[in-house]
Amino acid sequence: MRKHTTAVALAAASALALAACSSAEPGNTGDGDGGGDTLTVGIKFDQPGLGLQKGAEYVGFDVDVAKYVAGKLGYDEDQIEFTEAVSANRETMLQNGDVDMIFATYSITDTRKEIVDFAGPYFVAGQDLLVAADDDSITGPEDLEGKNLCSVTGSTSAERIKDDYAEGVELVERPGYSECVSALASGAVDAVTTDDIILAGLAAAQEDPTVFKVVGNPFSEENYGVGLPKGSTDRCEEINTAITEMIDDGTWDELVATHTEGTGYTANAELNPPEPAACA
């Protein structure tokens, strides 16, 4: 009897240990329903149309792509925990295990790939210009000579235009893109610059989304990827499969249209929808 009791106790302890390990392992999808785990996803909290916190909810293209991918990995929406991923902290968050993955207009670069992994891309953006809807004088960066251009403090977007396209442009810095849009609305600046889909999201967030327009002449290429901890090859392949399914079933097109509705924006057809790259 004593031997039987001991064996039962050992078996129960082993089962508990295995369950604890399973629930602690990031990204464990169990039997396809998330295994009871949570998935921590980094997003932007302050980018209309892409990643925006609205009370207790999170909305935007990046948010919906993350939900779709998480669903394909076996997670229900109530198993996703969104957390803010500020641009300067993204690599650190992945390295420290603060997040399982990041969907936050996170451009894939060789420098970043040295310390983190990427799945995707799930969108290819390009630097563009936001102008007043009735302004036909600006059709590209070359038209900004002598005009006022707004970009966020610390961004290299405006400097790129000054260096490569319009030496005489007057650069105006604001702490955030909402302040740039306000300056555009008041006539204090002639244009705002950053990635095209970010500009479209800013326009869509206005009470009247038709007051501004994205010029539609992108002059850079930014591949938005899913940031992952280094060594996440298997998870990268799972995410790439989900992204491909999202494109093939029409969800990708629907999400782009939903989050830029009313602006007249269309994604660059030469670059989108993207084809996910091979995982390392």
Side-chain angles (χ1 to χ4, degrees):
M1 176 66 72
R2 184 180 296 113
K3 289 181 180 180
H4 175 72
T5 302
T6 302
V8 170
L10 286 172
S14 297
L16 286 171
L18 286 171
C21 290
S22 174
S23 63
E25 183 181 348
N28 174 25
T29 59
D31 60 3
D33 63 356
D37 302 330
T38 58
L39 187 72
T40 304
V41 179
I43 59 170
K44 292 292 181 67
F45 278 14
D46 58 355
Q47 277 188 343
L50 288 146
L52 184 68
Q53 184 179 27
K54 297 182 71 173
E57 297 184 353
Y58 305 95
V59 296
F61 178 72
D62 280 353
V63 175
D64 283 345
V65 172
K67 289 178 179 178
Y68 183 99
V69 169
K72 291 296 183 180
L73 296 179
Y75 293 88
D76 296 327
E77 286 193 20
D78 60 4
Q79 293 176 287
I80 306 171
E81 180 180 323
F82 288 112
T83 189
E84 185 173 21
V86 177
S87 293
N89 298 339
R90 289 176 298 199
E91 287 83 26
T92 301
M93 293 176 74
L94 289 167
Q95 288 177 307
N96 291 346
D98 298 326
V99 292
D100 295 307
M101 56 188 67
I102 290 178
F103 294 75
T105 58
Y106 199 5
S107 295
I108 302 171
T109 68
D110 289 339
T111 300
R112 288 170 176 163
K113 285 167 68 175
E114 292 178 2
I115 51 179
V116 299
D117 283 349
F118 284 99
Y122 60 89
F123 190 87
V124 183
Q127 186 177 342
D128 211 323
L129 303 168
L130 186 72
V131 300
D134 59 357
D135 186 351
D136 296 325
S137 68
I138 300 175
T139 60
E142 300 88 351
D143 298 326
L144 292 169
E145 194 72 30
K147 296 184 181 293
N148 295 324
L149 173 67
C150 189
S151 190
V152 169
T153 303
S155 169
T156 60
S157 300
E159 286 290 348
R160 177 185 292 168
I161 290 176
K162 189 175 183 68
D163 292 342
D164 298 340
Y165 297 98
E167 185 178 349
V169 67
E170 296 294 330
L171 303 184
V172 178
E173 291 189 338
R174 292 289 186 269
Y177 286 112
S178 60
E179 290 86 354
C180 276
V181 171
S182 295
L184 180 60
S186 70
V189 300
D190 300 292
V192 179
T193 189
T194 187
D195 293 352
D196 55 359
I197 193 170
I198 297 176
L199 295 173
L202 290 166
Q206 305 307 303
E207 185 174 344
D208 180 359
T210 66
V211 297
F212 302 123
K213 66 180 179 182
V214 180
V215 167
N217 186 15
F219 45 96
S220 74
E221 187 174 319
E222 306 294 336
N223 291 269
Y224 291 170
V226 184
L228 298 167
K230 199 67 177 172
S232 301
T233 303
D234 290 344
R235 175 50 56 87
C236 171
E237 291 174 351
E238 292 174 345
I239 294 173
N240 279 353
T241 297
I243 291 171
T244 299
E245 291 178 5
M246 178 180 63
I247 292 168
D248 290 345
D249 68 18
T251 301
W252 185 92
D253 289 307
E254 292 175 7
L255 294 181
V256 173
T258 296
H259 294 294
T260 61
E261 186 176 3
T263 66
Y265 170 81
T266 56
N268 187 330
E270 294 182 3
L271 304 174
N272 288 292
E275 183 176 339
C279 298

